[in-house]
Amino acid sequence: MVSFTSFFTSFFTLLVVVLASLVRGGKTDSWVLLAEDVTVGERHSKEYCAMYDICGESSDGRVLNCPYGSPSVKPNELLSAKIQSLCPSISGNVCCTETQFETLRAQVQQAIPFLVGCPACLRNFLNLFCELSCSPNQSLFINVTSVAEVNGNLTVDGIDYFVTKTFGEELYSSCKDVKFGTMNTRAIDFIGAGAKNFEEWFAFIGQKAAPGMPGSPYAINFKLNTLESAGMELMNLSVYSCSDSSLGCSCGDCPLSPICSSSEPPTPEKKESCTIQMGSLKVECFNFLLAIAYVLLVSTFFGWGLFWRTRERKIPGSSTEPLLMNKAETDTSNMQEAENFTLELTKEEQLSVVQGYMSSFYRTYGLWVARNPTLVLSMSSAVILVLCLGLIRFNVETRPEKLWVGPGSKAAEEKRFFDQHLAPFYRIEQLILTTSPGFKLDKPPSIVTEDNIQLLFEVQKKVDKIRANYSGSLISISDICLKPLGEDCATQSVLQYFKMDPDNFDYYGGVAHAEYCFQHYASADTCLSAFEAPLDPSTVLGGFSGNNYSEASAFIVTYPVNNAIDDNGKAVAWEKAFIELAKEELLPMVQSSNLTLSFSSESSIEEELKRESTADVITILASYLVMFAYISVALGDSSLLSTFYISSKVLLGLSGVILVMLSVLGSVGVFSAIGVKSTLIIMEVIPFLVLAVGVDNMCILVHAVKRQSLELPLEERISNALVEVGPSITLASLSEFLAFAVGSFIPMPACRVFSMFAALAVLLDFLLQVTAFVALIVFDCLRVEDGRIDCFPCIKIHSTSGESDEGINPRAPGLLARFMKEVHAPFLEFWGVKMIVVAVFLAFTLTGIALSTRLEAGLEQQIVLPRDSYLQGYFNDVSEYLRVGPPLYFVVKDFNYSLESRHTNQLCSISQCDSNSLLSEISKASLIPESSYIAKPAASWLDDFLVWTSPEAFGCCRKFLNGTYCPPDDQPPCCSPDEEPCGIGGVCKDCTTCFRHSDLVNNRPSTAQFQEKLPWFLNALPSADCAKGGHGAYTNSVDLTGYESGVIRASEFRTYHTPLNKQGDYVSSIRAAREFSSKISDSLKMEIFPYSVFYIFFEQYLDIWRLALINIAIALGSIFIVCLIITSSLWSSAIILLVLVMILVDLLGIMAILDIQLNAVSVVNIIMSIGIAVEFCVHIVHAFLVSHGNRDQRMKEALSTMGASVFSGITLTKLFGVIVLCFARSEIFVVYYFQMYLALVLVGFLHGLVFLPVVLSLFGPPSRHVVIERLEADEPSASSNLS
């Protein structure tokens, strides 16, 4: 958004009137043209005047010169001194009367504030008008070409002004780069209508103005050639270069100055990535290296595989083991292959110390739970319900700055400093009206038509009528809007060119007047806004190229509203009424005129986010219901419909889901009790996460119990099942817990809070799984054995023995288990399949690495909003039509303005300022906006203050005889509002300038003078007589608290960023601004920082990659350590780590393909994916570790026992739940939850059940367990019945 507080209320309106050397007077009869192109003067010679004295006044009160030639006149001593003070090039006789000179002096004072910062430009500019008005040789280069009769007197109506081309070029060259900081633009835009050369400048100056319009009362035709026969000469006064040693300008105003030559003009940074040309194909060096690495790795792997296969064939009786395996494994494998083996085998267990303790604990604990299920269920339920009591203090944090900005954030500290010492950035309410392309048109038609402007008046009328109820008071826009001066709102609208009054539309000239103002907004009085400021058309129009404002296809209406640090209740109430009006009335009205309308208020995003949080409740609940339904079916094991009502596990599945919800509520309750607020992400994601993590534990536990022999007592079945799967569940849960827990150390509140809540929820879910859920399994087994109906356990069914055994027999392997054992595992045993799998997954990984470098940081605002939000169209229009960027403030801390300090010259950019000053460097940076993202030179209160106090700016800093402030002559009390025109006399006739040159030290005020006059400047109203007044433009630019000590604690210098259309632009702009400020701070030894309203939200993206990588590294490291401690196997831990890294890399690559940006949401998902990915790996690896046989056999057994559980309990459960999310109304759910979760499930499934088994069969660790008892060799058994 544009900083509209930068618009001040002064404007230079009648500058070119100085060309006529006029005095103000009463109104007269209208003009009568007598002649054109007629030479009236009789003589062209030295010491002769072409026009002398005053012969009349125009109808609008402007005086007109006499067209009669006369000899030059010698002025009296007082008049001569006055002329010398303003026109030092003129001495001796003159061609102006005292009245003409006083008029000249009064008029040029309007130009002086614009140019005084560059003395050379000012001197040249004044010389042009001094020669025209008072030169004793006036007739040599002035020729009166036409006259008019006014009240019976002939007056000048047109002249030729002969000047040399050299003078014109050098005059323009000395002034073309002079800045007018208050408006962040060049002075030439005001005094020359943005002229690109001296011809355009002279043409603008010489235009004859219509009555009542600013400009010259007669035409001035600047000519570069003379008629030698007429005896005329070209005016060729010496011109001072802006680099002149005596009248030199600053580097900002004169980049070609010798003092600036050591500082080369900045050049945009060109970031050229390393590429390699391969024919017509250009490949990046990094991708080329990855391709080479892939070829080398695959070649090495294939060569290794071929070597081992050849060796196996040469060694008779060799096992299929590709790596050296120990003798115990070989012997066991050989014995295992014997048919009809019925002997009992006893081998010593090779468990790690930790696994041994865990096995002993779970065996004892399983027996105790099976004997005391009621006690366990009651105790665990009581504990979790106590934790849930903390929900009484439950609260949700919705403020964006509290979600995405950490307490130690640099941007947050800078915003706090800016708000406290300067002023909070104002609130923005905005309307954008656009045209639509017609049939077969490449671009939309212009919106600048009479009908559309009249429509805009109707829209404005309705906005003005808004009355919002706030605490019993009716609030209108005028009650809350920004008012830089007076009582008029600083509304940014094309209607300002008509003073916001529809009656002025026809009076001013309709569309033609608007188009005139587009080009002359800075140089026409009638183009001033209602709040008395010039209005840059680029702030109210959109969809145009260059300066072709008339081609604009959008009206942009902005209402700046006052902002407060604490209470904005009135503004929020009005904003709600504004949005309601836009939806119900403005939108249909605009659409009926074949235009489109988009709109927004300051509170719109927060309100729409609240709506978004409830928009997908049904979708989320549907996702949970789908997962619950699947769980209920998956846990059952009946193949007969007649026994389904007994063997189904609906009640057990529902109980498990309730436990998952209780774990989430318990986690939220704990943190709510200690005052930690929840977030919408927590409420939407963590239940899904914990359910996804918890479901597989439920499936694994139930399937483990079902694998136990019915001949064993229930206590032993439960005990054996816990011994079998307890260690892997513990390992997975601890890994997930640590993966989330490490996230609590990151500074971003949303990620930190999510990690804390998720970690505790996963831990509580694990504890409830091994306590309450195990007890529920015991009750369910008792129900099945007693023949009671699922969901209605009070009803008992008596069935035949065979039917009962058929229905509840847990030994019958399921279809999925048989598929894993008989199809999937044998297929992966083929060497060719293994080679292809490794090669393909390695290709996926390297491709993921290459693609991940293309991930962009950011979060598009459209994605976080509901798809039907009115802000969707608004953000699209902002990106397409806005031609101005956000305001950028360079804030200076502890500016020492004392005369002894160098700070003043280190900051300013006018004459005598340092060449490497802050303002000069900003001006240089604005020359390369593509890399600096700085659009314009900065508006400098310091420059304008120094100019305002300059003796040359005699209309600005003035004082009464008693030493109090005296305003310019065109302001009260010097000029009454009813007095038109203002007289030179009156109460201010004795006012004098604040300082003479002798009062200053090197043209700088002393410490005391600076201290006294700064408040005068900040309260001075700008006007035609002094456009440099600081009120409005700099009201909040300086913190005067404690400035009496000689140090200003805070001040700002305002400029703009270039238009920022993409998230990458915002991130790059804040990075560029901070690098620039850091460089300047180091150079000047001052504390300077950049500030813009969006920095606080985009700062996170500056180091989002570092944040993500640190959290990923810590999470992976924690999982590796846990695996290493529990398994005591560096080998297996490394394999788990490898697979997790590959899953993450592939996920990052898919994110790049799907254009999913890297932000807080995706970082949370990535951290979460680590926890979920563990589930795909740990159970398979643990089953492989404790299985017996060679690697192929152990891989097959691990897939047979755990593969089905991983596929059904993890993959399918998550897959069904994720698919439902694609129907969400919010784009953020579709992109960051559906797409990312679906990618994670598919990638995790492929790695866990395809790549991991192949890697284990090739490089798996030695077995840690052998079967210690087996009833029958050909009987299916548990893979790891630990004694």
Side-chain angles (χ1 to χ4, degrees):
M1 305 302 175
V2 178
S3 174
F4 300 104
T5 54
S6 66
F7 292 149
F8 65 106
T9 58
S10 67
F11 187 59
F12 166 63
T13 59
L14 300 175
L15 174 63
V16 296
V17 181
V18 302
L19 299 175
S21 303
L22 306 175
V23 294
R24 298 185 182 254
K27 297 184 179 180
T28 65
D29 296 337
S30 57
W31 298 357
V32 179
L33 182 64
L34 293 183
E36 291 186 7
D37 299 327
V38 177
T39 302
V40 178
E42 298 179 352
R43 185 175 162 191
H44 298 289
S45 63
K46 293 184 178 180
E47 299 294 334
Y48 203 82
C49 305
M51 47 186 184
Y52 183 79
D53 212 346
I54 308 281
C55 285
E57 295 177 350
S58 64
S59 60
D60 56 357
R62 291 181 290 184
V63 296
L64 302 171
N65 288 350
C66 299
Y68 309 115
S70 64
S72 59
V73 178
K74 184 175 182 179
N76 59 43
E77 186 176 347
L78 178 61
L79 178 58
S80 178
K82 289 182 177 180
I83 293 175
Q84 280 283 301
S85 66
L86 186 66
C87 308
S89 62
I90 298 177
S91 60
N93 293 349
V94 296
C95 283
C96 59
T97 64
E98 184 172 3
T99 302
Q100 284 179 301
F101 174 76
E102 290 297 337
T103 301
L104 170 65
R105 186 176 185 274
Q107 295 299 330
V108 295
Q109 76 178 37
Q110 299 176 3
I112 288 174
F114 293 87
L115 306 176
V116 71
C118 182
C121 169
L122 178 61
R123 174 47 50 209
N124 297 332
F125 186 78
L126 292 178
N127 283 346
L128 176 68
F129 302 131
C130 287
E131 293 297 309
L132 170 64
S133 302
C134 296
S135 172
N137 302 319
Q138 186 187 69
S139 64
L140 287 178
F141 45 82
I142 298 293
N143 185 39
V144 178
T145 57
S146 62
V147 296
E149 184 178 350
V150 178
N151 291 336
N153 296 325
L154 291 181
T155 61
V156 175
D157 190 50
I159 66 170
D160 287 340
Y161 189 177
F162 296 89
V163 298
T164 63
K165 182 178 180 181
T166 301
F167 180 90
E169 290 177 341
E170 294 183 0
L171 168 64
Y172 179 79
S173 178
S174 67
C175 295
K176 65 179 181 179
D177 294 315
V178 176
K179 301 185 303 298
F180 182 55
T182 313
M183 283 291 292
N184 297 95
T185 187
R186 300 182 306 162
I188 199 71
D189 293 336
F190 284 79
I191 62 176
K196 301 297 188 297
N197 49 59
F198 81 93
E199 289 94 343
E200 292 183 9
W201 192 7
F202 283 174
F204 169 76
I205 291 174
Q207 291 177 351
K208 179 181 178 181
M213 299 294 288
S216 173
Y218 52 79
I220 304 173
N221 182 21
F222 287 90
K223 290 191 173 183
L224 305 180
N225 299 298
T226 63
L227 297 175
E228 296 182 2
S229 59
M232 300 190 70
E233 300 177 357
L234 297 175
M235 194 279 287
N236 190 25
L237 201 66
S238 297
V239 180
Y240 293 93
S241 169
C242 64
S243 60
D244 185 89
S245 58
S246 60
L247 297 175
C249 306
S250 68
C251 291
D253 291 333
C254 183
L256 300 180
S257 175
I259 196 173
C260 308
S261 60
S262 59
S263 174
E264 292 294 330
T267 56
E269 297 181 5
K270 296 182 180 180
K271 297 182 179 179
E272 296 183 358
S273 58
C274 174
T275 58
I276 296 176
Q277 192 74 33
M278 301 177 64
S280 60
L281 182 64
K282 183 179 290 186
V283 182
E284 293 184 3
C285 296
F286 180 70
N287 295 342
F288 183 73
L289 292 177
L290 288 177
I292 293 177
Y294 176 74
V295 172
L296 293 176
L297 289 173
V298 171
S299 300
T300 303
F301 177 71
F302 278 15
W304 173 86
L306 181 63
F307 169 77
W308 278 106
R309 290 294 293 170
T310 303
R311 181 180 178 183
E312 286 176 0
R313 293 186 182 132
K314 291 181 178 180
I315 302 177
S318 171
S319 74
T320 59
E321 193 75 7
L323 294 178
L324 182 63
M325 66 180 189
N326 56 42
K327 186 176 184 300
E329 280 188 302
T330 305
D331 295 343
T332 304
S333 175
N334 293 335
M335 288 187 291
Q336 193 67 16
E337 292 173 356
E339 295 181 358
N340 301 322
F341 182 74
T342 58
L343 297 177
E344 180 178 302
L345 300 176
T346 302
K347 294 286 183 178
E348 182 180 357
E349 294 182 359
Q350 300 176 354
L351 298 176
S352 67
V353 176
V354 176
Q355 283 181 310
Y357 280 118
M358 291 177 65
S359 298
S360 300
F361 167 77
Y362 276 117
R363 179 167 299 282
T364 304
Y365 172 74
L367 293 172
W368 180 75
V369 172
R371 293 166 183 165
N372 304 279
T374 303
L375 176 62
V376 172
L377 184 61
S378 301
M379 291 178 60
S380 56
S381 300
V383 171
I384 198 67
L385 290 176
V386 170
L387 297 180
C388 291
L389 293 177
L391 292 172
I392 298 174
R393 300 186 60 187
F394 174 76
N395 201 352
V396 177
E397 182 63 80
T398 58
R399 293 173 294 176
E401 65 272 15
K402 297 295 183 181
L403 290 174
W404 312 116
V405 184
S409 164
K410 184 178 180 181
E413 294 177 359
E414 291 169 348
K415 180 181 184 300
R416 193 178 305 112
F417 182 89
F418 188 91
D419 290 349
Q420 291 176 353
H421 292 277
L422 299 171
F425 193 78
Y426 47 82
R427 305 172 71 88
I428 291 294
E429 334 296 343
Q430 204 162 51
L431 297 171
I432 301 179
L433 288 78
T434 64
T435 59
S436 300
F439 182 68
K440 293 184 179 180
L441 290 180
D442 294 334
K443 61 180 181 180
S446 172
I447 199 172
V448 187
T449 65
E450 181 176 350
D451 291 340
N452 292 336
I453 294 178
Q454 292 291 358
L455 173 64
L456 194 58
F457 273 119
E458 292 298 319
V459 170
Q460 184 60 45
K461 184 178 179 180
K462 289 184 176 294
V463 173
D464 289 337
K465 290 183 178 180
I466 294 177
R467 296 294 183 270
N469 189 352
Y470 176 73
S471 300
S473 302
L474 295 179
I475 307 300
S476 67
I477 182 63
S478 62
D479 296 323
I480 59 175
C481 69
L482 183 70
K483 300 176 181 178
L485 281 175
E487 296 300 322
D488 291 297
C489 296
T491 301
Q492 308 299 300
S493 170
V494 72
L495 302 181
Q496 289 287 7
Y497 297 128
F498 305 98
K499 314 294 186 189
M500 302 297 290
D501 187 351
D503 294 336
N504 288 337
F505 181 76
D506 292 327
Y507 178 74
Y508 281 2
V511 175
H513 173 73
E515 293 178 340
Y516 173 80
C517 290
F518 295 161
Q519 303 299 330
H520 303 89
Y521 71 94
S523 57
D525 186 36
T526 53
C527 295
L528 285 179
S529 63
F531 58 97
E532 295 302 316
L535 189 66
D536 189 337
S538 62
T539 65
V540 296
L541 298 173
F544 57 88
S545 59
N547 292 328
N548 299 320
Y549 301 116
S550 297
E551 298 178 358
S553 57
F555 285 147
I556 301 172
V557 184
T558 307
Y559 303 96
V561 171
N562 289 315
N563 202 355
I565 298 179
D566 45 11
D567 184 20
N568 285 299
K570 292 182 179 180
V572 172
W574 187 90
E575 288 165 358
K576 291 181 179 179
F578 170 72
I579 296 299
E580 184 178 355
L581 173 74
K583 289 180 178 179
E584 297 179 0
E585 298 185 37
L586 300 185
L587 187 59
M589 183 172 70
V590 172
Q591 290 176 341
S592 66
S593 299
N594 296 321
L595 300 178
T596 62
L597 174 69
S598 59
F599 47 90
S600 171
S601 70
E602 187 73 17
S603 56
S604 288
I605 292 181
E606 186 172 347
E607 293 298 324
E608 287 297 282
L609 287 178
K610 290 180 181 178
R611 186 170 72 89
E612 185 269 340
S613 65
T614 59
D616 293 305
V617 171
I618 296 178
T619 304
I620 297 172
L621 291 177
S623 176
Y624 294 154
L625 289 175
V626 168
M627 285 192 289
F628 160 67
Y630 172 76
I631 293 168
S632 301
V633 175
L635 293 181
D637 59 353
S638 176
S639 58
L640 297 177
L641 184 62
S642 59
T643 59
F644 176 78
Y645 51 84
I646 293 179
S647 59
S648 68
K649 308 291 183 182
V650 175
L651 185 59
L652 182 61
L654 176 61
S655 302
V657 171
I658 292 175
L659 291 180
V660 170
M661 295 299 106
L662 286 175
S663 66
V664 174
L665 294 176
S667 175
V668 175
V670 169
F671 287 108
S672 297
I674 61 177
V676 179
K677 292 184 178 181
S678 182
T679 67
L680 297 177
I681 291 181
I682 290 174
M683 306 313 299
E684 295 166 348
V685 179
I686 289 185
F688 183 88
L689 165 66
V690 179
L691 187 60
V693 171
V695 164
D696 70 301
N697 288 343
M698 294 162 54
C699 291
I700 290 171
L701 285 169
V702 171
H703 291 167
V705 172
K706 287 160 59 177
R707 284 195 296 269
Q708 306 304 313
S709 172
L710 283 177
E711 297 179 3
L712 297 175
L714 178 59
E715 292 87 348
E716 290 191 23
R717 278 185 279 156
I718 298 296
S719 177
N720 288 345
L722 284 178
V723 170
E724 178 183 339
V725 299
S728 66
I729 290 178
T730 303
L731 175 59
S733 298
L734 284 180
S735 299
E736 292 159 354
F737 168 73
L738 288 177
F740 292 119
V742 295
S744 62
F745 297 101
I746 63 179
M748 192 182 301
C751 293
R752 183 179 68 251
V753 173
F754 169 84
S755 299
M756 293 164 52
F757 279 65
L760 183 56
V762 168
L763 181 62
L764 291 177
D765 180 61
F766 163 69
L767 295 176
L768 288 176
Q769 295 285 351
V770 297
T771 55
F773 189 72
V774 172
L776 290 171
I777 292 177
V778 173
F779 284 125
D780 188 72
C781 291
L782 294 175
R783 175 192 63 77
V784 172
E785 291 177 357
D786 206 23
R788 298 183 181 276
I789 298 178
D790 189 22
C791 298
F792 301 97
C794 296
I795 302 177
K796 184 176 182 180
I797 299 297
H798 298 281
S799 58
T800 62
S801 175
E803 188 180 49
S804 176
D805 291 343
E806 178 72 20
I808 64 174
N809 184 11
R811 301 285 293 172
L815 177 63
L816 187 57
R818 292 199 303 271
F819 172 81
M820 286 290 175
K821 181 177 182 180
E822 299 171 6
V823 179
H824 184 60
F827 178 73
L828 294 181
E829 285 184 315
F830 290 108
W831 263 93
V833 173
K834 292 179 182 180
M835 297 294 105
I836 294 174
V837 166
V838 172
V840 169
F841 277 82
L842 181 59
F844 285 163
T845 300
L846 295 181
T847 303
I849 293 175
L851 291 173
S852 63
T853 60
R854 303 179 184 179
L855 276 176
E856 294 184 357
L859 177 61
E860 295 294 344
Q861 292 168 308
Q862 293 94 322
I863 290 181
V864 302
L865 299 169
R867 291 177 176 176
D868 60 350
S869 172
Y870 62 88
L871 289 178
Q872 294 285 358
Y874 170 75
F875 285 124
N876 291 334
D877 286 348
V878 166
S879 176
E880 182 175 355
Y881 295 107
L882 232 59
R883 294 296 183 266
V884 290
L888 168 61
Y889 301 89
F890 287 97
V891 181
V892 178
K893 290 185 177 181
D894 300 327
F895 163 38
N896 186 343
Y897 62 80
S898 65
L899 199 58
E900 295 76 17
S901 172
R902 295 188 60 251
H903 282 186
T904 298
N905 288 340
Q906 287 179 321
L907 296 178
C908 65
S909 62
I910 60 173
S911 178
Q912 299 183 359
C913 296
D914 292 351
S915 61
N916 65 337
S917 67
L918 171 63
L919 275 303
S920 295
E921 292 299 319
I922 294 175
S923 181
K924 294 176 186 177
S926 68
L927 300 177
I928 49 170
E930 58 272 22
S931 61
S932 69
Y933 293 89
I934 298 176
K936 300 180 178 181
S940 170
W941 68 268
L942 181 58
D943 284 359
D944 286 354
F945 171 66
L946 295 177
V947 168
W948 186 81
T949 58
S950 172
E952 282 85 359
F954 45 78
C956 293
C957 185
R958 308 198 307 169
K959 60 184 177 180
F960 287 108
L961 294 178
N962 60 6
T964 58
Y965 173 66
C966 176
D969 284 327
D970 59 352
Q971 296 180 20
C974 303
C975 178
S976 172
D978 299 330
E979 182 183 350
E980 186 179 349
C982 295
I984 298 178
V987 298
C988 299
K989 64 180 180 179
D990 295 326
C991 289
T992 60
T993 57
C994 293
F995 307 113
R996 297 186 299 270
H997 281 288
S998 59
D999 298 327
L1000 304 176
V1001 180
N1002 294 326
N1003 289 325
R1004 295 286 186 264
S1006 66
T1007 305
Q1009 291 168 342
F1010 198 114
Q1011 179 177 312
E1012 179 188 11
K1013 298 304 185 291
L1014 182 58
W1016 287 18
F1017 166 73
L1018 295 176
N1019 291 318
L1021 297 175
S1023 62
D1025 279 358
C1026 181
K1028 290 291 187 177
H1031 188 72
Y1034 303 120
T1035 301
N1036 297 315
S1037 295
V1038 183
D1039 180 14
L1040 294 181
T1041 305
Y1043 88 108
E1044 298 86 356
S1045 63
V1047 176
I1048 296 175
R1049 295 184 60 190
S1051 63
E1052 51 89 353
F1053 300 91
R1054 178 184 60 254
T1055 181
Y1056 301 97
H1057 278 300
T1058 54
L1060 308 176
N1061 299 321
K1062 301 183 300 182
Q1063 295 286 295
D1065 293 338
Y1066 286 92
V1067 179
S1068 298
S1069 66
I1070 183 175
R1071 180 179 290 110
R1074 285 191 169 178
E1075 290 176 355
F1076 175 83
S1077 295
S1078 176
K1079 177 182 176 182
I1080 294 298
S1081 296
D1082 294 340
S1083 173
L1084 303 181
K1085 308 302 180 184
M1086 300 178 68
E1087 189 172 357
I1088 303 170
F1089 68 85
Y1091 171 76
S1092 192
V1093 67
F1094 69 89
Y1095 282 5
I1096 191 171
F1097 302 113
F1098 284 85
E1099 181 190 41
Q1100 57 179 300
Y1101 303 123
L1102 293 178
D1103 59 352
I1104 192 71
W1105 266 110
R1106 182 184 64 85
L1107 184 71
L1109 293 176
I1110 288 176
N1111 282 274
I1112 290 173
I1114 296 176
L1116 292 175
S1118 302
I1119 293 173
F1120 177 78
I1121 293 174
V1122 170
C1123 294
L1124 184 61
I1125 292 176
I1126 292 180
T1127 64
S1128 296
S1129 171
L1130 180 62
W1131 201 331
S1132 60
S1133 301
I1135 290 177
I1136 292 174
L1137 182 64
L1138 171 66
V1139 176
L1140 289 178
V1141 170
M1142 294 179 68
I1143 291 175
L1144 284 177
V1145 169
D1146 288 353
L1147 184 60
L1148 292 175
I1150 294 175
M1151 287 174 59
I1153 294 175
L1154 298 177
D1155 290 328
I1156 299 177
Q1157 295 171 310
L1158 193 65
N1159 50 56
V1161 179
S1162 55
V1163 167
V1164 167
N1165 284 347
I1166 290 171
I1167 297 174
M1168 185 183 71
S1169 68
I1170 297 176
I1172 295 178
V1174 169
E1175 299 284 350
F1176 290 101
C1177 307
V1178 168
H1179 301 298
I1180 298 293
V1181 171
H1182 183 266
F1184 178 86
L1185 194 62
V1186 298
S1187 297
H1188 59 281
N1190 60 32
R1191 286 186 174 87
D1192 280 339
Q1193 293 168 339
R1194 291 161 59 201
M1195 177 268 287
K1196 184 176 181 179
E1197 186 172 355
L1199 284 176
S1200 301
T1201 56
M1202 300 303 298
S1205 297
V1206 170
F1207 183 75
S1208 62
I1210 301 176
T1211 306
L1212 293 183
T1213 306
K1214 294 175 178 61
L1215 188 62
F1216 289 142
V1218 164
I1219 290 177
V1220 179
L1221 293 179
C1222 73
F1223 301 104
R1225 293 172 58 193
S1226 300
E1227 192 73 15
I1228 191 171
F1229 271 92
V1230 176
V1231 174
Y1232 288 94
Y1233 298 132
F1234 167 66
Q1235 293 182 0
M1236 284 195 70
Y1237 287 4
L1238 181 62
L1240 171 63
V1241 170
L1242 295 179
V1243 171
F1245 156 72
L1246 292 174
H1247 281 78
L1249 295 181
V1250 178
F1251 178 73
L1252 179 60
V1254 169
V1255 171
L1256 291 175
S1257 68
L1258 293 173
F1259 312 106
S1263 176
R1264 286 295 184 89
H1265 170 267
V1266 292
V1267 176
I1268 61 173
E1269 61 179 355
R1270 184 180 293 274
L1271 298 177
E1272 295 178 351
D1274 58 351
E1275 180 182 67
S1277 68
S1279 63
S1280 52
N1281 285 339
L1282 304 179
S1283 59

